[in-house]
Amino acid sequence: MNNIQNAPFMVDFIRTVTNMYTHGWDERNGGNVSLLLENDELYTYLDQDSVIRTIPTGFDAPELIGKCFLVTGTGKYFKNVQYDPENNLGIVRIGKDGKTAELLWGFCDGGRFTSEFPAHMMSHTIRLGIDPEHRVVMHCHPCNLLAMTFIHDLDEREFTRTLWRMITECMVVFPDGINVLPWMLCGTNEIGLATAEKMKTARLVVWAQHGIYGTGKDLDEAFGLIETAEKAAEVYMKIAHLPIKQSITDKELQIVADAFGVKAREGWLEL
Ligand code: 13P
Ligand code: ZN
């Protein structure tokens, strides 16, 4: 067996959560990430028959049976992951009943996966149905996006149009826009279902007064989506209280979309 700590997916994952921490998106235990692994690759590092323990998930995910995920642990600090991955991270496989997770590696102090496991797994299910190359769900608490949910209309079309206007390339990065959930209690199946529903039409979902979810085919794509949305929100928070002299028009946003070969969310530009 190869050493799993040297696996490219493990190295990439640890670098990414460390980077999220240094961006200030993950105070204390804030945020969580899950990465869908390729079983053939994983089983060159782990014996697929060695299940350390099984953990009930509290929901049914029949579409994910047999799939393996590298996931952050509940209550664990992103800043510590690089120094002790086996304690702060785990690899789980969704069991044959669809309702349990089989721990194959990690959570070695007896811990378990993030409290947002329902939102992660339900979002994976939806995004995989839309894009078979989808692999990552990422959640964090970036300051400016969070701040924006206190002062901006939460209508997702208006929220997105504001952010599209803040940096020319937002249209290129997230033409599908950002969906928004009102405040809800976190860590529940209910917010998981609501998040997954919002994932049907966008790869980014804001949780008002809490944070954001980004998804993608790899860690870079999910990170880059959040990074770009957060930068746009930062520009907004710097200018929202100032008189605006000029901005990007919807016609110009359409010119950007055409130039980069992307399609803005249907009906979201006023042309
Ligand atoms: P966990 O520590 O359970 O991952 O929770 C952090 C969080 O951000 C909850 O939304
Ligand atoms: Zn959170």
Side-chain angles (χ1 to χ4, degrees), residues 89-220:
L89 306 177
I91 293 176
V92 293
R93 178 173 58 209
I94 303 301
K96 288 193 175 66
D97 62 357
K99 296 175 186 159
T100 49
E102 301 167 337
L103 181 64
L104 300 179
W105 175 88
F107 301 145
C108 63
D109 64 354
R112 52 181 281 152
F113 41 74
T114 172
S115 59
E116 305 297 0
F117 205 59
H120 281 251
M121 294 303 116
M122 293 173 192
S123 295
H124 278 297
T125 301
I126 292 296
R127 292 305 309 175
L128 279 168
I130 295 164
D131 175 9
E133 293 199 344
H134 159 88
R135 293 290 178 273
V136 175
V137 174
M138 180 179 286
H139 165 62
C140 55
H141 305 162
C143 194
N144 294 287
L145 279 163
L146 234 159
M148 210 174 142
T149 66
F150 289 81
I151 61 167
H152 195 284
D153 195 325
L154 291 183
D155 176 88
E156 44 210 21
R157 178 173 180 262
E158 290 316 312
F159 199 91
T160 297
R161 283 156 51 82
T162 294
L163 290 177
W164 277 345
R165 283 194 290 269
M166 293 302 110
I167 310 174
T168 296
E169 294 194 6
C170 281
M171 174 56 77
V172 185
V173 178
F174 52 92
D176 46 341
I178 302 181
N179 286 340
V180 182
L181 278 183
W183 185 90
M184 289 177 75
L185 180 62
C186 53
T188 62
N189 287 349
E190 288 70 30
I191 202 168
L193 282 165
T195 305
E197 184 62 31
K198 293 288 185 191
M199 290 288 179
K200 287 182 177 168
T201 47
R203 293 162 299 159
L204 285 165
V205 177
V206 162
W207 282 4
Q209 294 86 48
H210 184 133
I212 191 164
Y213 272 75
T215 63
K217 62 182 185 322
D218 54 30
L219 289 156
D220 270 357

